[in-house]
Amino acid sequence: MGDKLSRNAVREIREKLLLSKAELARKAGVSPLTIDRIEKGMSCRLETQRKIILALGYKISDKDKIFPDN
């Protein structure tokens, strides 16, 4: 298992915004499976993190609020 699990706030923020995984995935331009994996703590590429940060309505400078371990 090469994937290291890391805590992130994607699910917490998504639920606060009352977004489904599918809605967030569509806004971010990624698959719902990708959202699911990230919420479970699997790592993802920086480009994917960037898309998710923006889709949640945050600025790139807020990255540490959403992906604190990276």
Side-chain angles (χ1 to χ4, degrees), residues 8 10-11 14 21 24 35-41:
N8 66 63
V10 174
R11 180 177 181 183
R14 176 180 62 77
K21 285 181 190 173
L24 177 57
I35 299 295
D36 191 54
R37 286 181 179 147
I38 291 166
E39 288 186 356
K40 287 186 171 124

Side-chain angles (χ1 to χ4, degrees), residues 19-36:
L19 285 172
S20 70
K21 285 181 190 173
E23 286 172 309
L24 177 57
R26 187 177 47 75
K27 284 179 81 165
V30 300
S31 75
L33 187 61
T34 297
I35 299 295
D36 191 54

Side-chain angles (χ1 to χ4, degrees), residues 48-64:
T48 304
Q49 286 184 11
R50 194 179 68 77
K51 289 176 179 178
I52 290 169
I53 291 164
L54 296 173
L56 289 170
Y58 285 79
K59 295 191 207 87
I60 300 301
S61 58
D62 294 324
K63 177 185 176 293
D64 290 341

